[in-house]
Amino acid sequence: MATDYKPLFNPLYLRALILILPLLIILLASLGPDDPQYPAIHHNGAQRLSWIEQPQRPDNELRLLLPTPLALNPEQRIIQQTLARLLLQRLQQPAIQTLLASVHDSSVMPRSDHLQISLRWPAGEAMPALDVLRRALYEAPEPGAMTSTLARTRAQAYIEGQEPAQRLLNHLQQQLQPGDNAPAATADVLQQFHQLLDQSPMLVMGGPDAAQMAEQLIAWAPARADETDRTENSQPAEPHSDTLARRAPLPSPRQPTRLQLSDPRQPTMYLQGTRMPGRGADTYAAELLAISSLQRALALRPDETQGRYRLVWQSSRDSGYHALIMDGQPTPRADMLDVAVINDALIDAARQQLLSELSARLQTPEGQLDQLATLAFNNLNGQRLDSILEQLQAVPGDDIGPIIAQYLAPETQILITLNAQ
């Protein structure tokens, strides 16, 4: 016997869905993605400790930031890199490895004004015995190890210094940080090694166990008597006065400075550059946007004027510098770069690219800890992890053109030529 066909859905319901679904799609699309959430920063000023909780991370990471004299000129950089290698060698010794049984990754990175020791271990594992580790790390290196490590570092620096652009950059750095350019000796390395003990390291931590580990670190690192009344959210202790003196801003070289180098084995090149404000300056975001805009403007030069160029920018706590290295003969600014291309559209494109790159970096555990270390070392503890994004957005576009013009003004530049006529 035949049966009547009954549709699975009432036609009225289907018509209603057809009308409503597009409206829902438009509404959801208009809401856009949720703003990313960044971890809150916690401080203990008495112990110079900063940490963030990262629940999704599979491991914990602790960084020890050891302030050093500014390492800008080639000889000071050799000392800095030698110290980093000596500390890494110490970390890799069997006795130290026993103390670091739970640590699956350790490294020592030389920065322009500090050394960074990083230790990583799985979530849920016990924290390394840092008091014993610190004493072992700070034992004076063996003379033989120090001599051989210094020699290897110098040999590598020599090889790198044969590259024309690096040769020009080395001369710029010598102008920015003048002083005794005599070759660094083991006595210099040993003296600076002992200077690492002048003050306690800054401690930076992140991971799923960061809060519990912070409690252990607060108990582990003894506070100085004059810091015992500080609270958890107090500001970090200021470095010793002798350290502050070593971190003084770079002196201004006499302007204009012109140096001529000659080497028939090398191509014709030139460098122009000068010092800039440091990472702690209020103008840092504007300088960052100006550098990015200049990079974009250089990339837009007409094909017939395009030569190989290298834009270098470095910023430490109190000082920085920029350098533009170009192939060929020195060129008037107007010929090298049409400043008319630095318009609102270019600056906005550079700003959006910076915001995108920094935002993506800040959404990774490594990028978050990098930013935390930057804020802690530069005494910017009142800022959030994403403060740099707001600062970049707040920079007036009208400020960027004059900053770039100052970067390129001949009267403010150090000019170093190689084989120029």
Side-chain angles (χ1 to χ4, degrees):
M1 185 174 92
T3 59
D4 294 337
Y5 171 74
K6 294 182 180 180
L8 295 176
F9 298 99
N10 189 310
L12 293 176
Y13 293 162
L14 289 176
R15 292 191 187 97
L17 287 174
I18 291 173
L19 293 173
I20 294 173
L21 281 176
L23 298 176
L24 290 174
I25 292 172
I26 294 173
L27 177 63
L28 292 173
S30 67
L31 296 177
D34 294 336
D35 292 335
Q37 299 296 315
Y38 301 103
I41 299 176
H42 306 276
H43 299 292
N44 182 281
Q47 312 302 357
R48 306 180 77 188
L49 169 65
S50 302
W51 74 93
I52 53 177
E53 297 183 54
Q54 299 171 306
Q56 305 304 320
R57 184 171 177 166
D59 56 14
N60 298 297
E61 182 174 356
L62 173 67
R63 299 185 185 182
L64 289 75
L65 311 181
L66 308 173
T68 66
L70 184 64
L72 190 59
N73 69 45
E75 289 303 318
Q76 191 61 47
R77 288 204 315 272
I78 287 175
I79 295 176
Q80 192 88 327
Q81 293 165 2
T82 301
L83 288 170
R85 290 181 173 183
L86 288 170
L87 288 174
L88 183 59
Q89 292 171 14
R90 186 65 59 82
L91 282 174
Q92 295 171 344
Q93 290 180 353
I96 302 295
Q97 289 294 307
T98 301
L99 300 173
L100 303 177
S102 62
V103 173
H104 62 73
D105 183 41
S106 59
S107 63
V108 182
M109 295 295 296
R111 308 297 189 188
S112 61
D113 51 7
H114 68 281
L115 299 178
Q116 175 181 279
I117 300 176
S118 175
L119 304 174
R120 297 172 61 182
W121 65 93
E125 295 284 340
M127 187 170 59
L130 295 179
D131 50 348
V132 180
L133 171 65
R134 185 179 173 192
R135 288 196 298 269
L137 281 175
Y138 286 179
E139 291 178 3
E142 297 288 339
M146 190 163 48
T147 300
S148 60
T149 302
L150 176 59
R152 288 197 302 272
T153 305
R154 182 173 299 282
Q156 180 180 351
Y158 174 80
I159 294 172
E160 294 173 351
Q162 300 309 298
E163 198 270 326
Q166 185 60 49
R167 184 174 177 181
L168 291 170
L169 193 57
N170 286 345
H171 279 274
L172 172 67
Q173 292 162 339
Q174 287 173 346
Q175 291 295 310
L176 294 175
Q177 191 181 22
D180 184 6
N181 291 320
T186 54
D188 301 313
V189 176
L190 185 60
Q191 179 184 13
Q192 193 156 314
F193 186 92
H194 288 307
Q195 287 179 355
L196 295 176
L197 300 176
D198 284 352
Q199 56 187 331
S200 298
M202 297 180 184
L203 305 175
V204 174
M205 168 171 267
D209 307 322
Q212 300 94 308
M213 297 298 179
E215 293 180 3
Q216 297 181 41
L217 288 172
I218 291 169
W220 163 70
R224 294 203 303 265
D226 61 346
E227 294 174 333
T228 53
D229 59 342
R230 294 180 181 265
T231 63
E232 179 171 316
N233 292 318
S234 61
Q235 293 295 319
E238 284 295 323
H240 293 176
S241 57
D242 58 337
T243 304
L244 287 174
R246 292 197 299 268
R247 289 197 205 147
L250 297 175
S252 298
R254 288 175 297 177
Q255 300 290 354
T257 300
R258 303 290 183 261
L259 297 178
Q260 293 184 342
L261 310 178
S262 178
D263 188 341
R265 300 168 300 176
Q266 302 286 6
T268 300
M269 300 181 69
Y270 72 98
L271 173 152
Q272 61 180 53
T274 190
R275 70 185 184 96
M276 296 169 56
R279 180 60 182 85
D282 294 337
T283 59
Y284 174 77
E287 304 285 349
L288 180 59
L289 181 54
I291 286 289
S292 181
S293 299
L294 176 57
Q295 180 75 47
R296 182 173 288 267
L298 288 168
L300 294 176
R301 289 177 302 155
D303 292 340
E304 63 270 15
T305 64
Q306 284 201 14
R308 292 177 53 201
Y309 69 88
R310 176 179 170 189
L311 185 60
V312 181
W313 178 49
Q314 179 175 309
S315 182
S316 59
R317 174 176 174 174
D318 298 304
S319 304
Y321 71 88
H322 81 275
L324 181 62
I325 307 173
M326 301 282 291
D327 284 347
Q329 301 287 341
T331 308
R333 182 187 69 180
D335 294 338
M336 181 191 70
L337 175 65
D338 181 5
V339 295
V341 305
I342 305 175
N343 52 31
D344 292 343
L346 182 141
I347 294 171
D348 186 61
R351 190 197 310 266
Q352 294 307 315
Q353 180 180 353
L354 269 176
L355 290 171
S356 177
E357 293 173 351
L358 290 173
S359 179
R361 181 66 178 161
L362 284 173
Q363 293 179 47
T364 67
E366 188 75 12
Q368 292 171 0
L369 210 58
D370 285 344
Q371 183 67 3
L372 178 61
T374 296
L375 295 176
F377 187 80
N378 291 287
N379 198 28
L380 301 172
N381 293 311
Q383 298 187 14
R384 304 187 313 274
L385 287 180
D386 60 335
S387 291
I388 183 62
L389 303 181
E390 294 182 359
Q391 293 165 8
L392 280 169
Q393 290 173 327
V395 174
D398 293 343
D399 291 355
I400 302 306
I403 295 176
I404 294 177
Q406 185 178 5
Y407 288 168
L408 302 176
E411 63 273 12
T412 66
Q413 299 292 299
I414 299 172
L415 176 64
I416 305 174
T417 60
L418 177 60
N419 298 328
Q421 300 297 323

